Amino acid sequence: MCGRFVLTMPVDEMARLFDAVPSNDLPPAPNYNICPTTAITTVTSDGGQRRLRAMRWGFLPNWYTSQADGPLLINARAETIADKPAFRSACRTRRCLIPASGFYEWTKGADGARLPWYICRPDGAPLAFAGIWQDWTPNDGGDPLSTCAIVTTAANAAMSAIHHRMPVILTGADWPLWLGEAGTGAARLMRPGPEDALRMTRVGTAVNSNRATGHALIAPLTN
């Protein structure tokens, strides 16, 4: 799964990288501890026009009567996404990219303690997670809320040493297909990345708190 991630790119850099027009309500960056239910930056495409859009991280199916009406859907499994009632329409017609600089995963120590790892590209280049999205309208007739989930797949051999799942990470060449700009066949993109595509570094336990902030969260552990 992917339950926390990092985004350090400023808006203008993301706009250039994804050739997208930014909305004016994007969450601030850098953010070294992005948590579920908060607003995150996504990339969508409408008729070939890409936009950077803020969305709630936590997909809300249209039958939810409130944001807390059912399980918190922050991830969607690639293996079942096309069949799950919550996701099947979005995976066909509402796919997005979720920019990231890296993400966190945890292992357990001998004493049961949660040991965090920061996972990013070896060269520090940005990541683009595969995502799906949906606008959800509350029953009270309030304004629609754009919501999203990160698509995950089985971990490759390198990542499986830490966790059995990982985000689907898309290269720039894959973005048009995933966003629906290059025809059909996006399902083939939902696979683990190359073994050498990510670097995994143990970091301090400060990030175990969802209130922790700052660059020090991704600093390698030095003991």
Side-chain angles (χ1 to χ4, degrees):
M1 66 177 294
C2 179
R4 300 258 204 96
F5 69 99
V6 173
L7 180 63
T8 62
M9 287 182 288
V11 170
D12 57 349
E13 183 179 336
M14 285 190 283
R16 287 193 299 270
L17 177 64
F18 295 102
D19 191 21
V21 177
S23 299
N24 57 14
D25 62 346
L26 297 175
N31 188 338
Y32 292 90
N33 194 6
I34 299 173
C35 301
T37 75
T38 60
I40 65 173
T41 298
T42 68
V43 183
T44 62
S45 181
D46 183 8
Q49 175 62 69
R50 294 182 186 175
R51 293 192 63 85
L52 297 177
R53 297 178 52 188
M55 295 191 190
R56 176 193 190 263
W57 182 21
F59 190 97
L60 295 174
N62 54 22
W63 59 83
Y64 276 26
T65 59
S66 73
Q67 295 186 32
D69 196 27
L72 180 58
L73 304 176
I74 62 171
N75 295 153
R77 294 173 66 94
E79 298 87 344
T80 57
I81 193 172
D83 301 316
K84 292 286 187 182
F87 301 136
R88 62 190 175 201
S89 176
C91 80
R92 294 188 185 102
T93 61
R94 293 185 302 279
R95 299 187 297 270
C96 63
L97 304 173
I98 298 175
S101 301
F103 62 100
Y104 298 103
E105 201 50 83
W106 281 262
T107 54
K108 281 191 176 180
D111 59 355
R114 297 179 74 225
L115 307 178
W117 296 75
Y118 179 59
I119 302 154
C120 62
R121 290 197 189 280
D123 60 2
L127 302 169
F129 300 150
I132 56 172
W133 69 277
Q134 175 163 286
D135 286 338
W136 173 81
T137 303
N139 280 1
D140 62 9
D143 293 335
L145 177 65
S146 296
T147 72
C148 65
I150 295 170
V151 181
T152 67
T153 187
N156 60 27
M159 183 70 196
S160 65
I162 295 176
H163 199 273
H164 66 286
R165 306 289 298 174
M166 66 185 295
V168 172
I169 299 171
L170 303 175
T171 66
D174 295 332
W175 298 347
L177 184 56
W178 185 256
L179 290 173
E181 300 167 346
T184 60
R188 67 177 175 80
L189 302 177
M190 293 189 289
R191 61 184 185 272
E195 300 294 328
D196 59 353
L198 297 172
R199 177 181 65 202
M200 288 148 265
T201 305
R202 270 277 285 119
V203 294
T205 56
V207 75
N208 289 0
S209 168
N210 60 13
R211 297 180 180 177
T213 61
H215 181 271
L217 297 181
I218 65 172
L221 209 57
T222 57
N223 59 8

